[in-house]
Amino acid sequence: MKTPGLLDLMAVMVLLVCVASSLPLVSGDTGQRVSMTLVRGAAALGAFCLDGSLPAYHLDKGFGAGSNYWLLQFEGGGWCNDIASCVDRSKTRRGSTRFMSKTAVFTGILSNNASLNPDFYNWNKVRLRYCDGASFAGDTQIRNGASMLYFRGQRIWKAIILDLLPKGLAKARRALLTGCSAGGLSTFLHCDSFTSYLPRTANVKCMSDAGFFLDAIDVASNRTMRSFYTKLVSLQGVQKNLDPNCTRAFYPEPSLCFFPQYALRFIRTPMFILNSAYDVFQFHHGLVPPSADRTGRWNRCKLNVTACNPHQLDALQGFRTDMLGALMNFIRNSTRGGMFINPCFDHCQSALQETWLSPTSPRIHNKTIARTVGDWYFGRRKEVKEIGCSYPCDKTCHNLISASTTTDSLGNLDI
C-alpha cells in the first residue's frame, strides 16, 4: 500500500518536471539570472526551512516607471504531510536552502524584457523560495531523534516580507502577489495578509497559477487530496493560520479551508485565477492517484491523452465540469476577479515564456495569458474572465503530456 508520504514523493517528481519547465533554474535560459538573498533576520523570528536553514528569495530590482511597483511570486513544489516524507524533503532543495541553486532565471511574468513581459517588465520582482512543505502556512516544530524538523512556513512568509519592506516594498504603489502550483495555493492563503503589509493607497491584487486544487472525488470514489491535506494541516500546525471566517464556516472540518475552492469567497483582495481545466498534477494525483488505480488501467492515458478510452475521457471532462462548478460563484458574482481557464494538459503557465507570451503561447478568444492578466490588473477591460472550450478543441495548448497526434508536448512525466 502506498502511504501519504509516497504521494508527496510522487507529487514532487511530477512537480520537478513542471517546475523545471515553468520556473527555470538552469543555465541556457535567455532570461535574467538573479542571485539568492538569505533572510539573515529570519532566525530571530523562528523562521526556518525544514532542516533549520535560513529562508531565501531572489530580488530583481525595478527601474524607471516601475521602481515603486512590486511583483512577488511564491515558488511551488508539492507538500509533505508525515514525518518520513518531510525528513526526506529536508534533505533536498524543497526543504533546505543549503541545497538550492544560488541563482534563478527569471522568465515569463518575471522577465525584465519589455517585449516579452510588457506590463510587468520594469517592476521589482521577487521569487520566494519554498522550503517548508505546507505552502508557507505551517507554524510548529517536531523533534526527530537528535534533530528538529521545522514547520515554519508562516514565519518564513512574514520574515521575507519584513526583509523586503525597507527595500522599497513599504512604498509600493502597485503590487501583485502570485505563485505556481503549491505556490499558487499560497497565493490564496496569503492574499489578504499581503495587502495588510502595504500602503492603503496601493493597488494590490493576487494571481494564482495552477493553484486551484480541487477537493476532488477520485476514480475510486475516494477523496485522496482531502485526506492528504487534512494530515498536512494537522502535522504542520496550519489551522491557526487559515482564514478564521472560513474555518468557522466549515467547522468541524477547518482543514477544508486549505482548499482554494472553499477559501476563495472569504478573500477580500481582487484575485485572478489562471488554471488548466485538465491540470496535469491534479489529473495524476487528485483524479487518478496511484491508490485509485492499482492495476494500472490509467497508465497509458496518463502519458498520452489520445490513448484514453471513452470512459476515461468522460472522467476528464467531468473533472473540468467540477472545476468550473467550484468556480461558478466566482464567475457570476466576483466583480473584481479575473480568470483564464484553458483546456491544456499543463501545470503552471505564467513563468514559462512560451506559455506566458510568445508567438505560439496558449490563447482563449485570441488573447494570451499575459494580455489577459494585464487587462485585468490595469482595468483595461470591464470583464476579464476567459474560459476555454473543452478538450480537444484548443490547438494553441502547450501540453506536458501528449494530448494531440499533431502537436509535440513540452515535457514528459515519465522520469
Side-chain angles (χ1 to χ4, degrees), residues 7-8 10-11 14 79 212-229 259 261 277-293 298 302 315-316 318-320 322-323 347:
L7 174 62
D8 168 69
M10 296 171 72
V14 175
W79 312 271
F212 196 77
F213 293 95
L214 285 184
D215 181 19
I217 299 175
D218 65 31
V219 293
S221 300
N222 298 313
R223 291 188 184 270
T224 300
M225 289 303 294
R226 180 185 290 194
S227 175
F228 186 86
Y229 280 166
F259 282 102
Q261 71 188 84
Y278 308 102
D279 182 275
V280 170
F281 177 91
Q282 298 197 61
F283 172 16
H284 286 200
H285 298 281
L287 180 64
V288 194
S291 61
D293 184 37
W298 280 79
K302 281 184 168 184
L316 287 168
F319 185 84
R320 174 181 181 271
D322 289 345
M323 179 173 287
H347 185 72

Side-chain angles (χ1 to χ4, degrees), residues 31-311:
Q32 172 86 356
R33 187 169 286 279
V34 182
S35 297
M36 175 190 284
T37 299
L38 286 175
V39 184
R40 300 294 179 184
L45 299 174
F48 301 107
C49 297
L50 286 171
D51 71 332
S53 58
L54 292 175
Y57 60 84
H58 303 257
L59 168 62
D60 184 24
K61 292 290 290 182
F63 56 92
S67 297
N68 290 321
Y69 305 159
W70 286 77
L71 188 155
L72 275 63
Q73 181 199 66
F74 287 112
E75 184 178 38
W79 312 271
C80 62
N81 75 340
D82 61 26
I83 296 296
S85 61
C86 290
V87 168
D88 289 342
R89 187 182 181 97
S90 72
K91 300 173 184 176
T92 73
R93 68 185 180 93
R94 295 299 181 205
S96 173
T97 49
R98 295 186 179 101
F99 302 108
M100 292 180 181
S101 169
K102 301 305 183 282
T103 59
V105 176
F106 279 21
T107 61
I109 196 171
L110 297 180
S111 173
N112 65 356
N113 186 321
S115 65
L116 301 177
N117 187 27
D119 285 317
F120 305 105
Y121 74 97
N122 59 354
W123 288 35
N124 297 280
K125 295 177 289 293
V126 186
R127 178 180 296 166
L128 285 68
R129 299 306 300 267
Y130 183 35
C131 64
D132 65 280
S135 290
F136 293 82
D139 191 8
T140 189
Q141 61 188 45
I142 295 176
R143 181 163 293 281
N144 179 51
S147 61
M148 194 70 73
L149 203 55
Y150 295 92
F151 302 126
R152 298 296 196 185
Q154 182 74 23
R155 299 191 190 199
I156 290 172
W157 159 244
K158 180 178 180 179
I160 292 177
I161 290 294
L162 293 180
D163 203 64
L164 291 172
L165 287 173
K167 296 182 178 181
L169 182 61
K171 298 179 180 179
R173 293 169 53 200
R174 290 176 176 164
L176 177 64
L177 181 68
T178 184
C180 154
S181 189
L185 194 155
S186 300
T187 307
F188 288 102
L189 298 178
H190 295 295
C191 184
D192 285 339
S193 168
F194 182 55
T195 301
S196 71
Y197 284 108
L198 301 182
R200 302 179 80 177
T201 55
N203 180 13
V204 184
K205 299 184 179 183
C206 303
M207 182 192 79
S208 170
D209 179 3
F212 196 77
F213 293 95
L214 285 184
D215 181 19
I217 299 175
D218 65 31
V219 293
S221 300
N222 298 313
R223 291 188 184 270
T224 300
M225 289 303 294
R226 180 185 290 194
S227 175
F228 186 86
Y229 280 166
T230 297
K231 293 174 183 177
L232 182 154
V233 168
S234 175
L235 175 72
Q236 296 221 29
V238 173
Q239 181 177 328
K240 58 181 171 285
N241 297 318
L242 298 175
D243 188 305
N245 294 316
C246 183
T247 56
R248 282 193 294 269
F250 286 96
Y251 180 83
E253 294 187 84
S255 60
L256 289 179
C257 295
F258 200 72
F259 282 102
Q261 71 188 84
Y262 303 124
L264 180 58
R265 65 186 172 100
F266 299 98
I267 297 173
R268 300 179 300 278
T269 306
M271 172 70 70
F272 188 98
I273 300 171
L274 166 60
N275 229 93
S276 168
Y278 308 102
D279 182 275
V280 170
F281 177 91
Q282 298 197 61
F283 172 16
H284 286 200
H285 298 281
L287 180 64
V288 194
S291 61
D293 184 37
R294 298 187 187 283
T295 62
R297 293 180 180 177
W298 280 79
N299 287 353
R300 292 181 65 234
C301 177
K302 281 184 168 184
L303 295 176
N304 187 337
V305 181
T306 63
C308 298
N309 62 41
H311 171 74

Side-chain angles (χ1 to χ4, degrees), residues 272 340 367-376 381 384 386:
F272 188 98
F340 190 101
K367 299 179 182 68
T368 63
I369 295 170
R371 176 183 168 185
T372 305
V373 173
D375 284 352
W376 166 76
R381 283 192 286 142
V384 188
E386 302 292 347

